Amino acid sequence: MRILIYQPYNQIVVYIESVAEQFVREGHQVFFVSHDERGETHKNFEEMGCLAEALPVVRSSTLGYYFRRIVKLIQFCKEKQVDVVYSHFQEANIISVFAQFFCQANFVINRHHTDCAFVDDNWREKWGDKIINRFAKIYIATSPRVYRQIVELEKVNSAKVRLINYGYNFNNFKKVNPKKVDEIKKKFPSEILLVQAARYISEKRHYELINSVKQLVELGYDIKLLLLGKGPLEQEIDSQIVISGLQKHVFNIGFQLNIMDYFAAADLVVHFSISEASNSAIKEAAWVGTSAAVCTGVGDFDEYIKHGINGMLLNKENPGKDFIDCIKNVLEKKYSLSEMGRQLMIDVVSRFDIKNVIDHYKKLNKEITDEVSE
């Protein structure tokens, strides 16, 4: 088969590259197209033996932008005689569901979010999901919670929705640099070093996390928090750190390419997010043996995080109180973060290794092939 992996971004997305890598190993011809200019992920696809291209379009009016994007995608599919398009993320998915009417290729739409449009009350994202839900012919839900969101809450016909977990070639994660890990630990010495890696947006709930750290510091605990990411709330986060008097305890590190070094240096990765599909940062942390504190009822955390065994589950509505109690238990030696981190690595690899996921894609590709040949 001739398969196109289609997404807006040029950054590396390991679970997407891992699936493409398996397709190549199975003998499929794989293409990669992004909206953004060429980036590191294009190089990775080319090293796999794929043709990787960027199809930039100047943004003007919204309708004009999407029209030109649809035309470019149709032209590419026809020129390369693409059999299947695996489309990722909302912007590409909107374009794909319209382009499919003018292509012989089958389009598989991958949903990478759950209810964030409702959490943020974002009418643009809500309408985007409605359009995709209406016209998608084959839909992949990337976690059980995404499946329930699509089928039960958004009333999409379950016959066209497949549940396929993310699959990772964990060896493709960036390698840890022990020297950098030591530097981070020496720069931020503390009894417990926390890391949160998330975009600086409201649904990630940095405010609640920083406030929880403030309470722990006021109780006399030796604790530091490193915030990794970028986004529109960066100035508000900086202001909260200063107003709370936490300049020696909470540090806005910003976006970092060597995120694995920070996960390896951390004693615990914290994630207060209220909406996820299947968060990759926690899998990255698990790969280096670092445990995590996450919220129940968010993404697929409940599927593989076992409280007190491989991680900590916090109440979604009020995570701060549970988090403070968990940190107290760690310091009182009721939990072993190192033991939980080792167990989390075992459980994450067992559930999300690409070798345990790829058969679902094989089955889907066979269904598409059989349907075309009928």
Side-chain angles (χ1 to χ4, degrees):
M1 294 176 67
R2 299 166 70 86
I3 300 174
L4 169 61
I5 309 296
Y6 178 55
Q7 70 179 47
Y9 315 117
N10 60 10
Q11 296 103 327
I12 293 172
V13 185
V14 174
Y15 53 81
I16 294 177
E17 291 186 7
S18 298
V19 173
E21 186 177 36
Q22 290 296 314
F23 286 164
V24 171
R25 289 177 178 173
E26 291 165 17
H28 299 296
Q29 184 171 0
V30 178
F31 306 93
F32 172 72
V33 166
S34 71
H35 295 173
D36 291 346
E37 298 286 353
R38 288 178 60 84
E40 195 171 358
T41 194
H42 291 79
K43 297 177 184 177
N44 289 353
F45 272 93
E46 287 171 343
E47 289 175 1
M48 295 178 207
C50 308
L51 173 67
E53 293 191 16
L55 298 178
V57 168
V58 176
R59 282 189 180 270
S60 53
S61 66
T62 299
L63 287 177
Y65 172 78
Y66 275 91
F67 176 77
R68 289 192 293 276
R69 282 247 170 260
I70 293 167
V71 170
K72 278 183 175 285
L73 179 57
I74 294 168
Q75 289 173 338
F76 185 93
C77 289
K78 289 183 175 180
E79 177 187 337
K80 305 300 182 184
Q81 298 179 314
V82 172
D83 297 307
V84 182
V85 178
Y86 279 89
S87 177
H88 297 270
F89 306 110
Q90 192 181 68
E91 182 178 290
N93 291 344
I94 293 171
I95 293 159
S96 291
V97 296
F98 287 110
Q100 69 185 344
F101 294 108
F102 305 94
C103 298
Q104 290 186 343
N106 290 273
F107 281 71
V108 180
I109 305 302
N110 290 262
R111 169 93 167 236
H112 296 288
H113 63 276
T114 51
D115 57 352
C116 58
F118 298 90
V119 171
D120 295 340
D121 195 23
N122 188 318
W123 68 268
R124 292 179 186 273
E125 291 183 358
K126 287 180 182 178
W127 272 104
D129 285 343
K130 286 182 179 180
I131 291 168
I132 296 164
N133 292 349
R134 172 66 178 83
F135 294 113
K137 296 178 181 179
I138 305 174
Y139 220 150
I140 289 180
T142 49
S143 74
R145 189 166 187 84
V146 174
Y147 183 90
R148 292 192 293 271
Q149 175 71 28
I150 295 172
V151 173
E152 297 174 11
L153 299 178
E154 298 178 20
K155 306 302 180 183
V156 174
N157 184 351
S158 62
K160 67 180 183 180
V161 184
R162 313 293 198 279
L163 170 58
I164 304 180
N165 289 330
Y166 286 158
Y168 299 81
N169 178 349
F170 289 97
N171 291 318
N172 287 346
F173 282 148
K174 286 185 177 293
K175 301 295 185 289
V176 170
N177 183 332
K179 183 178 178 181
K180 292 290 185 182
V181 173
D182 288 341
E183 289 175 359
I184 294 167
K185 289 182 176 181
K186 289 177 182 177
K187 186 175 181 180
F188 303 102
S190 58
E191 194 166 1
I192 295 185
L193 181 60
L194 307 171
V195 167
Q196 172 158 319
R199 289 189 63 213
Y200 296 159
I201 55 177
S202 59
E203 70 193 59
K204 304 305 179 184
R205 300 199 287 189
H206 292 83
Y207 176 85
E208 287 87 343
L209 176 56
I210 294 171
N211 189 53
S212 298
V213 171
K214 183 175 187 292
Q215 293 180 59
L216 287 165
V217 170
E218 289 173 346
L219 290 171
Y221 293 115
D222 179 16
I223 189 169
K224 287 186 173 66
L225 167 65
L226 309 183
L227 301 175
L228 309 181
K230 60 181 178 180
L233 296 183
E234 183 167 4
Q235 290 186 349
E236 286 87 343
I237 289 170
D238 286 338
S239 296
Q240 184 187 357
I241 293 170
V242 174
I243 291 170
S244 302
L246 294 174
Q247 298 94 320
K248 295 182 179 180
H249 297 276
V250 181
F251 303 87
N252 175 10
I253 307 299
F255 178 76
Q256 298 293 317
L257 291 174
N258 63 325
I259 191 170
M260 300 298 284
D261 296 336
Y262 284 90
F263 286 153
D267 296 298
L268 183 70
V269 172
V270 191
H271 203 66
F272 271 27
S273 177
I274 199 172
S275 179
E276 295 286 344
S278 181
N279 182 269
S280 288
I282 302 305
K283 282 96 165 181
E284 291 172 321
W287 182 240
V288 296
T290 301
S291 186
V294 299
C295 295
T296 58
V298 175
D300 56 358
F301 293 137
D302 293 326
E303 305 290 331
Y304 66 95
I305 299 289
K306 304 177 186 70
H307 185 75
I309 297 173
N310 65 6
M312 302 175 187
L313 289 169
L314 314 174
N315 181 280
K316 179 180 177 180
E317 306 308 322
N318 184 20
K321 180 181 182 301
D322 283 353
F323 177 66
I324 291 169
D325 290 341
C326 285
I327 294 300
K328 289 179 180 178
N329 287 333
V330 169
L331 294 174
E332 291 170 6
K333 310 301 181 184
K334 293 181 181 179
Y335 294 142
S336 168
L337 291 180
S338 59
E339 286 297 324
M340 288 197 295
R342 280 191 285 272
Q343 186 61 48
L344 184 60
M345 179 175 65
I346 292 169
D347 294 338
V348 163
V349 170
S350 173
R351 185 178 183 84
F352 297 103
D353 192 295
I354 187 62
K355 295 175 184 176
N356 301 328
V357 175
I358 196 61
D359 282 347
H360 296 285
Y361 286 96
K362 290 180 180 179
K363 180 180 178 182
L364 178 55
N365 285 339
K366 187 176 185 303
E367 287 178 13
I368 293 170
T369 302
D370 291 346
E371 184 178 325
V372 170
S373 61
E374 289 178 357

